[in-house]
DNA sequence: GTATATACATAAGAAAATTATGTATATTTT
DNA sequence: AAAATATACATAATTTTCTTATGTATATAC
């Protein structure tokens, strides 16, 4: 995803969050939206993205519809019912994770 | 470090931050302090901790002093001059990372 | 005296990314 | 009109980073 390896482990919840907020999305669109939202900070690589999306599909977290736009393929992903439940859990974990990081990186403010 | 793989990639900056804030520390102490600060959220495993500390020492980021407390060894770590510089960089990266996560997980607030 | 806590260390394996490569169409730049 | 960039998917090889398991040894609590 990026040189600075901080993002390792966060890709799945990030994608779930995107799908939760924006409904149906295709892979390339996800990479562009994340790049935009984070002002270029976070660049998802294809080698990380597509295998993960395929895994989520296998697990029944997302479902897909393939469309032809002009002559080009697009594979749209959306959360299943199970996926929505899973996303709620993932968001709670993210919240706790981010709070923990805050405690460490900004102890004075965090404890106040 | 934990089941929920979110923390992957964050261990090194966390340790650097601890050493920056508390000066001289030993490994076990780091694990306990992180556990305390994060209210049990973040449990650093020995298999992650010690190899990383050794790597940081090899890289000249930290230096060590071994002491005997009673009959038991303690290996104290502290930041070198290069380590302090490296820590500043790592903290800037952490800040950007956390901001990016905020943008994604909490888009409305983050954009305000 | 048994369990838990303190304190280090390393090896095997798994998880999650990066980098490289491949295919193909569409658009922009020169 | 050719070349470069952008769009859009995919997979394989490798690297990074962690978990799990194992090992040694002392100290403290029950």
């Amino acid at each position: 995803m990026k040189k600075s390896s901080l993002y390792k482990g966060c890709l799945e919840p990030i994608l779930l969050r995107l799908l939760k907020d924006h409904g149906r999305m295709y892979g390339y669109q996800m990479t562009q939206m994340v790049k935009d939202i984070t002002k270029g900070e976070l660049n998802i690589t294809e080698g990380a993205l597509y295998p993960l999306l395929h895994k989520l599909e296998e697990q029944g977290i997302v479902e897909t519809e393939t469309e032809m736009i002009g002559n080009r393929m697009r594979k749209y992903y959306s959360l299943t019912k199970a996926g929505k439940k899973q996303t709620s859990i993932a968001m709670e974990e993210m919240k706790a994770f981010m709070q923990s990081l805050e405690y460490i990186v900004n102890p004075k403010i965090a404890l106040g």
Side-chain angles (χ1 to χ4, degrees), chain A residues 12-23 79 87 91:
Chain A
E12 180 171 329
I14 286 171
L15 297 185
L16 294 178
R17 178 75 208 199
L18 279 186
L19 288 170
K20 177 188 158 83
D21 286 347
H22 302 95
L79 292 171
T87 299
M91 289 308 104

Side-chain angles (χ1 to χ4, degrees), chain A residues 30-107:
Chain A
M30 298 179 199
T31 67
Q32 299 309 301
M33 191 173 282
V34 167
K35 199 202 281 184
D36 286 354
I37 293 175
T38 65
K39 296 164 185 169
E41 255 295 305
L42 219 152
N43 289 290
I44 300 174
T45 60
E46 295 156 305
L49 176 69
Y50 292 115
L52 176 52
L53 286 173
H54 300 161
K55 191 198 78 175
L56 292 173
E57 190 179 9
E58 269 179 41
Q59 293 176 342
I61 307 289
V62 298
E63 57 194 354
T64 64
E65 290 169 299
T66 300
E67 281 184 27
M68 291 308 285
I69 307 292
N71 280 2
R72 207 147 54 185
M73 182 177 74
R74 265 189 203 167
K75 198 163 165 186
Y76 280 95
Y77 290 84
S78 49
L79 292 171
T80 62
K81 190 163 184 181
K84 285 172 189 168
K85 194 175 274 183
Q86 177 54 37
T87 299
S88 294
I89 296 167
M91 289 308 104
E92 287 304 310
E93 286 176 1
M94 274 295 269
K95 210 170 138 184
F97 166 63
M98 290 166 73
Q99 185 63 69
S100 288
L101 281 191
E102 200 65 53
Y103 285 153
I104 290 165
V105 170
N106 223 335

